[in-house]
Amino acid sequence: MLQRAIHSALRSRQGVSMPPQIDHHFAWQPGQPVRLTEFAVEVAAQAMFTIAPDGQILNANRTACERLEYPREELVGLHVADIDPLYPRESWPAHFEELRQCGQAIFPTQHRTRSGRIIDVEVSVSYFEFEGKEYCCSSVRDISEQKRAESLARLQHDVLSLVASGEPQHHCLNRLCSLVEEIVPQSLASVMLLENADHCLRFEAGPRLTDEIREAFEPLPPGLHSGSCGAAAHLKRPVLVEDTRTSPHWARLQHVVDRFNLLACWSLPILCDGGRILGTFAISHSRTAVPDECEMELLETACSLASIPIRRSKEQEELQQRHNELAHFSRVSTMGEMVTSLAHELAQPLSAILNFSEACQARLLTVNADGVDQIARYVDQICQQGRRGGKILARMRDYVRRTSPRKSTCEISRMVTEALELVAHELRHRNVEVRIDKGESVVVQVDRVQIEQVIVNLVRNAADAMESVASDRRILDIRTFFSDGNVVLEFADRGPGISEDESDQIFSAFFTTKPSGTGMGLAICRTIIEDHGGVISVSNNELGGATFRVSIPLVEQEGPHGPQNDSVRR
């Protein structure tokens, strides 16, 4: 039956002639099998094609014409390559030969409508011979909805997986743009972020962005005439420009439109929960276009996904800022607690300066050759004591200064020595003997002020722990050594040690065993060390007391054969 219908269509070469309005209640009558089959093919829900060995379309049903947006008289006579971009003319003979060998095939491909829109389809095709000639008949199912659902699911899975694994914001957003460009062929996807410094938009991601495009747009201030992205950031709503050549939003950027042939640009604002603008997500085209329902869903999904790594990054920045402020407050508080000891520490060089200055004045009254030599020695002492006082003040200033974290290459034993200078008088006043085993010299990449803060906190914590023991047992052993690619600092005191309950909570915020303690010192120490990729722990000593152990990864330096940790051991 079907072969007869096809044969009938082949004879006309113009397809089956049907009236504009088809009677769906066609009444079958005996003796009309060919007409019935002909009608069934015409009204089938799937697109149906009859194709010649050379790839010419011999017939197409009504669904095929409607889906591809062609009148029947234009569609019939086209080559398969005219509607299927994945099967060019030169590859068709090999494709037909393969079909001849296997007889039937089912495969996914794409169809291009008369307006240029791409549709994902699944083709079921059969090879047959009729009256000595070869043909193939194909039934085409639209799988755009299925492909779109699969693409959106993959988009969400891939981006969320990157976010969950802790990948940097830039990597997550670049992957998002790449996937969107795969879903929307011949498009350019990008993410711009609003910078607080100058309140302008700059590109954060866009795999296909060139340096020339970046330079042409950046910096982009939000505004009605700053293109689709600038307008979307200004209005805090989508700006979907079909033709940038006529849009008022692009009036001041026509030189960019002409230079890069950006004829359509759809942009959505990326907002935080409070409605504050974070940036924009955009898709650009080299042809005029408006987003259809599917593309609009993709835009909204991509914009929502883009906001996740951006907001995570903002939250991490805010958390780091709060941590820095808390650490600064802790240093200031520590300095306030140490002010009496530091006053005594400064009183010694200042008193010496005063005494030597008065002696110089007295000797000047009876100056002679011997007196000149003695005055020179006094002046030398004045200079030494002045420098000593200056170093103490400089150390205090550096310790309490509010600065952003800044890592540099530091020698660990020198940091221990300089940190102990801040608490030297307090330790002498409390009869604490400090014994230092510096071991071999080791270099680390750290923020010097933060690590000195950890050392000062642990030293003062040890001194506090030994308040209740006899003066001759107040000994603090500080040891630095190299172990398994890390530098280790140990602070062993002779106090009462740590109970099992305390060891579980001792690094928790607001936990303290001191009547006047804030419970933040050791918590800040842990945060600082973990920010440096290290670990801080505590254990009890066999002979009494506790040992706090700090482990920090060594800085890697490039050697002739790659990173060399051993090069930092001197």
Side-chain angles (χ1 to χ4, degrees), residues 5 45 49 86 96 201 246 257-258 333 355 446 455 558 564 570:
F49 297 87
L86 301 183
F96 192 84
L201 293 165
T246 59
V257 171
D258 297 336
S333 298
N355 291 336
V446 296
I455 295 171
E558 285 292 331
Q564 301 291 319
R570 299 172 182 169

Side-chain angles (χ1 to χ4, degrees), residues 363-565:
R363 292 298 294 172
L364 285 173
L365 298 176
T366 58
V367 67
N368 53 36
D370 293 335
V372 171
D373 292 339
Q374 192 167 19
I375 291 173
R377 289 193 296 273
Y378 290 162
V379 171
D380 182 60
Q381 287 293 323
I382 290 172
C383 291
Q384 289 185 33
Q385 295 299 326
R387 284 192 290 269
R388 179 186 170 195
K391 287 176 65 177
I392 294 173
L393 288 172
R395 184 66 56 216
M396 292 172 58
R397 180 193 61 209
D398 290 345
Y399 187 75
V400 300
R401 179 182 295 167
R402 183 194 296 271
T403 59
S404 299
R406 182 177 57 188
K407 291 185 178 181
S408 59
T409 302
C410 303
E411 205 280 317
I412 195 69
S413 60
R414 181 177 177 183
M415 281 194 295
V416 172
T417 300
E418 292 178 348
L420 287 174
E421 290 178 2
L422 290 171
V423 292
H425 186 274
E426 179 180 359
L427 295 175
R428 288 196 298 270
H429 179 70
R430 300 171 73 172
N431 295 317
V432 175
E433 178 187 353
V434 179
R435 302 189 305 199
I436 304 177
D437 178 4
K438 296 182 179 179
E440 60 181 318
S441 181
V442 182
V443 173
V444 285
Q445 188 82 11
V446 296
D447 183 285
R448 181 180 60 82
V449 172
Q450 288 189 346
I451 297 302
E452 286 186 4
Q453 180 178 0
V454 171
I455 295 171
V456 168
N457 282 354
L458 293 179
V459 169
R460 298 188 73 239
N461 188 71
D464 291 339
M466 293 187 288
E467 281 286 338
S468 60
V469 304
S471 298
D472 60 346
R473 294 192 66 247
R474 296 178 187 175
I475 300 173
L476 173 60
D477 289 305
I478 300 177
R479 190 163 70 103
T480 65
F481 57 94
F482 174 82
S483 175
D484 297 329
N486 297 280
V487 60
V488 181
L489 290 84
E490 285 187 348
F491 302 81
D493 62 56
R494 304 290 181 87
I498 307 294
S499 69
E500 185 175 345
D501 292 340
E502 291 174 350
S503 64
D504 294 335
Q505 307 178 64
I506 197 165
F507 295 108
S508 302
F510 308 114
F511 175 79
T512 180
T513 58
K514 305 173 187 177
S516 59
T518 63
M520 293 305 299
L522 291 177
I524 291 173
C525 288
R526 181 183 65 175
T527 302
I528 289 174
I529 297 304
E530 289 179 351
D531 284 348
H532 283 76
V535 176
I536 183 171
S537 60
V538 63
S539 60
N540 286 319
N541 305 326
E542 292 183 1
L543 302 177
T547 296
F548 284 82
R549 186 173 292 102
V550 173
S551 177
I552 304 173
L554 289 176
V555 56
E556 288 192 351
Q557 297 182 350
E558 285 292 331
H561 304 291
Q564 301 291 319
N565 272 337

Side-chain angles (χ1 to χ4, degrees), residues 239-462:
V239 174
L240 311 174
V241 175
E242 177 183 3
D243 191 341
T244 57
R245 295 168 298 185
T246 59
S247 170
H249 295 308
W250 286 80
R252 298 177 184 173
L253 294 172
Q254 284 304 302
H255 62 288
V256 178
V257 171
D258 297 336
R259 181 179 176 187
F260 300 108
N261 196 34
L262 299 176
L263 299 186
C265 185
W266 315 327
S267 181
L268 271 66
I270 302 172
L271 305 172
C272 66
D273 292 336
R276 179 167 56 91
I277 184 73
L278 299 176
T280 60
F281 177 82
I283 297 179
S284 303
H285 299 272
S286 57
R287 58 180 174 82
T288 60
V290 291
D292 57 26
E293 182 180 346
C294 301
E295 290 167 332
M296 199 65 217
E297 181 183 3
L298 172 64
L299 275 167
E300 292 170 351
T301 301
C303 187
S304 177
L305 287 171
S307 71
I308 296 174
I310 295 172
R311 286 189 294 178
R312 183 193 65 175
S313 181
K314 292 288 184 185
E315 290 169 357
Q316 289 175 340
E317 290 176 4
E318 293 170 0
L319 183 63
Q320 184 62 49
Q321 183 178 355
R322 288 195 293 270
H323 160 64
N324 295 339
E325 291 173 353
L326 183 59
H328 175 256
F329 171 76
S330 177
R331 292 196 298 272
V332 172
S333 298
T334 301
M335 191 58 67
E337 296 170 3
M338 295 162 51
V339 68
T340 302
S341 296
L342 289 168
H344 285 291
E345 192 76 5
L346 282 171
Q348 293 180 2
L350 291 175
S351 177
I353 290 171
L354 178 62
N355 291 336
F356 283 119
S357 298
E358 290 175 347
C360 286
Q361 289 178 332
R363 292 298 294 172
L364 285 173
L365 298 176
T366 58
V367 67
N368 53 36
D370 293 335
V372 171
D373 292 339
Q374 192 167 19
I375 291 173
R377 289 193 296 273
Y378 290 162
V379 171
D380 182 60
Q381 287 293 323
I382 290 172
C383 291
Q384 289 185 33
Q385 295 299 326
R387 284 192 290 269
R388 179 186 170 195
K391 287 176 65 177
I392 294 173
L393 288 172
R395 184 66 56 216
M396 292 172 58
R397 180 193 61 209
D398 290 345
Y399 187 75
V400 300
R401 179 182 295 167
R402 183 194 296 271
T403 59
S404 299
R406 182 177 57 188
K407 291 185 178 181
S408 59
T409 302
C410 303
E411 205 280 317
I412 195 69
S413 60
R414 181 177 177 183
M415 281 194 295
V416 172
T417 300
E418 292 178 348
L420 287 174
E421 290 178 2
L422 290 171
V423 292
H425 186 274
E426 179 180 359
L427 295 175
R428 288 196 298 270
H429 179 70
R430 300 171 73 172
N431 295 317
V432 175
E433 178 187 353
V434 179
R435 302 189 305 199
I436 304 177
D437 178 4
K438 296 182 179 179
E440 60 181 318
S441 181
V442 182
V443 173
V444 285
Q445 188 82 11
V446 296
D447 183 285
R448 181 180 60 82
V449 172
Q450 288 189 346
I451 297 302
E452 286 186 4
Q453 180 178 0
V454 171
I455 295 171
V456 168
N457 282 354
L458 293 179
V459 169
R460 298 188 73 239
N461 188 71

Side-chain angles (χ1 to χ4, degrees), residues 64-326:
C65 296
E66 291 176 350
R67 185 175 297 167
L68 295 176
E69 303 169 1
Y70 279 98
R72 191 189 307 272
E73 58 270 17
E74 288 188 25
L75 183 57
V76 172
L78 293 180
H79 192 279
V80 170
D82 295 324
I83 65 168
D84 192 330
L86 301 183
Y87 285 92
R89 291 176 182 268
E90 56 270 19
S91 68
W92 178 257
H95 176 62
F96 192 84
E97 176 59 30
E98 183 180 351
L99 183 61
R100 180 188 289 120
Q101 297 298 324
C102 64
Q104 293 182 334
I106 300 176
F107 55 90
T109 185
Q110 293 180 331
H111 278 180
R112 181 170 49 218
T113 68
R114 190 185 189 197
S115 63
R117 185 168 55 91
I118 299 296
I119 304 173
D120 290 299
V121 297
E122 181 184 75
V123 177
S124 298
V125 60
S126 298
Y127 167 85
F128 67 94
E129 296 180 4
F130 185 76
E131 295 184 351
K133 294 182 179 180
E134 297 177 306
Y135 305 96
C136 67
C137 177
S138 62
S139 173
V140 181
R141 182 168 66 93
D142 186 343
I143 58 172
S144 299
E145 289 286 343
Q146 174 186 334
K147 294 285 289 186
R148 181 170 61 256
E150 292 173 354
S151 297
L152 288 178
R154 180 189 172 202
L155 184 73
Q156 293 171 335
H157 175 270
D158 284 16
V159 175
L160 293 178
S161 295
L162 289 176
V163 174
S165 64
E167 285 293 318
Q169 169 185 281
H170 178 72
H171 292 172
C172 297
L173 296 178
N174 258 337
R175 179 58 176 163
L176 171 64
C177 291
S178 295
L179 291 171
V180 169
E181 290 173 351
E182 290 178 14
I183 298 171
V184 185
Q186 300 178 336
S187 67
L188 179 68
S190 63
V191 175
M192 301 190 84
L193 295 185
L194 189 69
E195 296 189 357
N196 295 329
D198 57 2
H199 201 66
C200 287
L201 293 165
R202 286 179 172 81
F203 287 110
E204 173 66 11
R208 296 181 56 224
L209 290 174
T210 63
D211 292 339
E212 290 78 10
I213 292 178
R214 291 177 180 272
E215 292 172 2
F217 280 99
E218 295 178 342
L220 184 67
L224 290 176
H225 306 291
S226 295
S228 301
C229 293
H234 176 73
L235 298 171
K236 296 184 179 180
R237 61 175 175 79
V239 174
L240 311 174
V241 175
E242 177 183 3
D243 191 341
T244 57
R245 295 168 298 185
T246 59
S247 170
H249 295 308
W250 286 80
R252 298 177 184 173
L253 294 172
Q254 284 304 302
H255 62 288
V256 178
V257 171
D258 297 336
R259 181 179 176 187
F260 300 108
N261 196 34
L262 299 176
L263 299 186
C265 185
W266 315 327
S267 181
L268 271 66
I270 302 172
L271 305 172
C272 66
D273 292 336
R276 179 167 56 91
I277 184 73
L278 299 176
T280 60
F281 177 82
I283 297 179
S284 303
H285 299 272
S286 57
R287 58 180 174 82
T288 60
V290 291
D292 57 26
E293 182 180 346
C294 301
E295 290 167 332
M296 199 65 217
E297 181 183 3
L298 172 64
L299 275 167
E300 292 170 351
T301 301
C303 187
S304 177
L305 287 171
S307 71
I308 296 174
I310 295 172
R311 286 189 294 178
R312 183 193 65 175
S313 181
K314 292 288 184 185
E315 290 169 357
Q316 289 175 340
E317 290 176 4
E318 293 170 0
L319 183 63
Q320 184 62 49
Q321 183 178 355
R322 288 195 293 270
H323 160 64
N324 295 339
E325 291 173 353
L326 183 59

